[in-house]
Amino acid sequence: MIEDKNPRRTPLSELGEFKLIEHLTDHFKVTHKSTVKSIGDDAAVLNFDKKQVVVSTDLLVEGVHFDLSYAPLKHLGYKALVVNLSDIYAMNAVATQVTVSIAVSNRFPLEALEELYAGITTAAQIYNVDVVGGDTTSSTSGLIISVTAIGEVEKGAEVLRSGAKPNDLLVVTGDLGGAYMGLQVLEREKEVFKVNPNNQPDLSMYTYIIERQLKPEARKDIVELLKELEVKPTSMIDVSDGISSEVIHLCKQSKVGVDLYEAKIPLDPQVISTCEEFNIDSTTIALNGGEDYELLMTISQEDFPKIKGNPNLTVIGYMTEEDRGMHLVTRADEKIPIIAKGWNALKDQA
Ligand code: ADP
Ligand code: MG
């Protein structure tokens, strides 16, 4: 589906491991004071003085987490960083360094890895993180990418999943369900392409949701906004699996219940129209579709005037006493228990 605009194919065996690492990494610059020693030694040296350090890691496996028939390598490199940075921001922390490890089969030429690293480099620049290390090895099957993200947060400023209290407001950033519907469109086009490879799909109606799937963004801006507004959420989590499973994490770890209002869930018009086209309920997608990488948080009622009217933040419900349970309040004012389906389970339905 993706046109090969880069016909040069340099076999990795031509370079060898050390030349390859050098080729992929020698342009990375150090921008953070906390990076004392970056790529090139047995380990990186970091110094955070009195700041607390947060660390998160993720593994992406070809055929499980991505499909190279429609995910361009540049976007994949970008996404691999973004999904990790999202976890750092969900702690209310600033991301500062990443390590990137790859396992590649020799069906990948050097040019493919250059594309992957172009995406990694762009994300590192945009999110202002230093790439301080990694590992490079061969794989007998597909491509595997593992990223570890490191960040810093002042003592006491970290936001855990466990701090929500009854009556706190449930707030979500951006809009939901886009990445999942983008995936549905891409999967459909892949099937069409298999039947007729000459068919050039017109995807102009779906640009927003396809971008949400292939090139998601992490909400670094929200951590900055919350600081500006002087709001410290009582709990927070990033939306990687869909808000129903994320809100359950907040409730269980905070020992509270929730009333989440269907009518308040923020949806982009492209999500609504694509759901209609695919004949899927948009609320189901918003609740269970994955990979939106928005932030779901609870804030104290006292802070409501500070966030009121902010276009980045939508109040979608409030927390209750634990024994009241976890419910979706529908448009018809019915209360339905929230259960976690997650996007994997959804796959069987769609
Ligand atoms: P070692 O043999 O000690 O694992 P390597 O030769 O694998 O060392 O790595 C040399 C340096 O290059 C180290 O600083 C390592 O962190 C870095 N590095 C290796 N692979 C990558 C990669 N894919 N991306 C970024 N840095 C890497
Ligand atoms: Mg190594």
Side-chain angles (χ1 to χ4, degrees):
M1 225 161 113
I2 307 297
E3 232 182 299
D4 189 5
K5 295 193 195 95
N6 204 345
R8 256 178 73 86
R9 292 178 63 87
T10 311
L12 294 179
S13 54
E14 237 176 57
L15 288 98
E17 187 191 334
F18 299 123
K19 275 244 169 69
L20 173 65
I21 294 172
E22 198 185 309
H23 185 84
L24 293 176
T25 64
D26 65 357
H27 65 284
F28 286 123
K29 294 192 174 58
V30 166
T31 61
H32 285 277
K33 220 174 57 191
S34 51
T35 309
V36 178
K37 172 70 196 171
S38 183
I39 292 171
D41 216 303
D42 295 315
V45 182
L46 308 178
N47 180 352
F48 289 93
D49 286 327
K50 294 190 175 88
K51 293 270 181 65
Q52 295 188 112
V53 179
V54 290
V55 181
S56 179
T57 195
D58 264 310
L59 190 59
L60 295 174
V61 177
E62 183 179 351
V64 180
H65 302 99
F66 58 88
D67 183 334
L68 288 176
S69 60
Y70 52 69
L73 280 161
K74 200 186 268 184
H75 289 187
L76 185 63
Y78 191 90
K79 183 170 176 174
L81 244 66
V82 161
V83 302
N84 270 270
L85 299 178
S86 178
D87 283 319
I88 301 293
Y89 302 136
M91 302 302 290
N92 201 34
V94 176
T96 46
Q97 288 89 10
V98 291
T99 63
V100 180
S101 299
I102 51 174
V104 271
S105 69
N106 49 21
R107 81 180 155 92
F108 286 89
L110 174 66
E111 287 73 15
L113 294 185
E114 285 174 347
E115 284 288 299
L116 183 75
Y117 267 74
I120 290 169
T121 304
T122 305
Q125 276 164 357
I126 289 177
Y127 289 93
N128 187 27
V129 292
D130 295 341
V131 179
V132 297
D135 202 16
T136 308
T137 184
S138 55
S139 147
T140 49
S141 53
L143 174 65
I144 299 172
I145 310 170
S146 173
V147 175
T148 298
I150 299 162
E152 58 181 39
V153 62
E154 301 274 357
K155 232 183 191 156
E158 73 275 16
V159 176
L160 308 182
R161 296 177 177 182
S162 53
K165 297 275 177 297
N167 299 320
D168 282 354
L169 300 171
L170 181 67
V171 175
V172 73
T173 64
D175 52 68
L176 299 168
Y180 182 81
M181 288 318 292
L183 182 63
Q184 298 313 300
V185 171
L186 289 167
E187 294 273 1
R188 182 182 67 186
E189 294 312 321
K190 184 182 166 188
E191 292 309 311
V192 173
F193 181 81
K194 272 191 203 159
V195 178
N196 181 6
N198 296 319
N199 185 55
Q200 278 297 322
D202 177 13
L203 299 177
S204 57
M205 283 165 67
Y206 310 107
T207 45
Y208 175 68
I209 57 175
I210 288 176
E211 184 153 332
R212 293 283 283 171
Q213 170 58 224
L214 294 181
K215 191 173 167 286
E217 302 293 348
R219 300 309 305 257
K220 174 179 195 265
D221 60 322
I222 298 296
V223 176
E224 290 158 3
L225 176 71
L226 291 170
K227 201 170 177 185
E228 244 169 68
L229 297 174
E230 295 177 14
V231 173
K232 185 189 172 211
T234 51
S235 70
M236 187 150 64
I237 187 167
D238 76 322
V239 184
S240 52
D241 292 336
I243 51 167
S244 65
S245 85
E246 314 304 2
V247 82
I248 290 172
H249 285 307
L250 293 183
C251 286
K252 291 212 163 137
Q253 296 200 29
S254 298
K255 298 190 170 41
V256 292
V258 69
D259 278 348
L260 195 167
Y261 288 79
E262 180 184 20
K264 303 283 184 197
I265 296 172
L267 297 172
D268 185 85
Q270 231 174 62
V271 170
I272 297 171
S273 60
T274 313
C275 280
E276 280 169 6
E277 189 188 331
F278 279 75
N279 203 13
I280 326 181
D281 175 46
S282 57
T283 302
T284 308
I285 295 313
L287 289 175
N288 304 304
E291 301 194 287
D292 287 316
Y293 300 106
E294 297 293 343
L295 294 172
L296 181 70
M297 66 190 91
T298 55
I299 68 158
S300 143
Q301 297 250 4
E302 274 167 38
D303 284 331
F304 179 62
K306 299 183 193 165
I307 67 148
K308 198 179 160 192
N310 193 298
N312 291 292
L313 304 168
T314 309
V315 178
I316 56 172
Y318 61 89
M319 312 318 274
T320 61
E321 297 291 342
E322 188 177 23
D323 58 9
R324 296 267 305 277
M326 301 176 281
H327 291 99
L328 177 74
V329 183
T330 68
R331 287 198 183 83
D333 219 18
E334 280 169 332
K335 277 191 159 190
I336 304 175
I338 295 176
I339 44 165
K341 290 208 190 89
W343 63 277
N344 273 325
L346 259 183
K347 265 197 164 156
D348 308 328
Q349 275 183 27

